Amino acid sequence: MTTQSTPEGPEQDARRRRAGIVAFVVGTVVSLAFFAFFPGLPHVIDWGAILVSLSVGALARWAYRAWARKSRLPSR
């Protein structure tokens, strides 16, 4: 399967991919930290917290990609 390159070139694609990975990792870590340290919650990381954290990471990546795509589009 081939990937489609954007007009900016492969270096821009690589930068965008790295930023998406960073957004995923930051979202996941922040969510896990919330479950681990927020007062009032049991300080146990279970499978539910892991799955929610991965979902939050995926949501953060999606939000970054949507924002980057929107800011990249030319103004009309």
Side-chain angles (χ1 to χ4, degrees):
M1 182 175 189
T2 60
T3 59
Q4 294 180 354
S5 181
T6 59
E8 292 89 19
E11 63 277 346
Q12 189 70 17
D13 289 340
R15 183 180 301 145
R16 222 175 265 122
R17 183 174 178 83
R18 269 184 264 130
I21 291 169
V22 168
F24 174 80
V25 169
V26 168
T28 302
V29 169
V30 167
S31 182
L32 277 173
F34 171 79
F35 283 115
F37 300 114
F38 192 75
L41 292 176
H43 301 294
V44 176
I45 301 294
D46 59 355
W47 284 108
I50 293 171
L51 292 176
V52 168
S53 296
L54 290 174
S55 298
V56 169
L59 181 66
R61 181 175 183 264
W62 173 81
Y64 167 76
R65 289 176 56 113
W67 173 79
R69 190 177 318 118
K70 188 173 105 175
S71 65
R72 182 180 62 179
L73 291 176
S75 300
R76 293 182 184 200

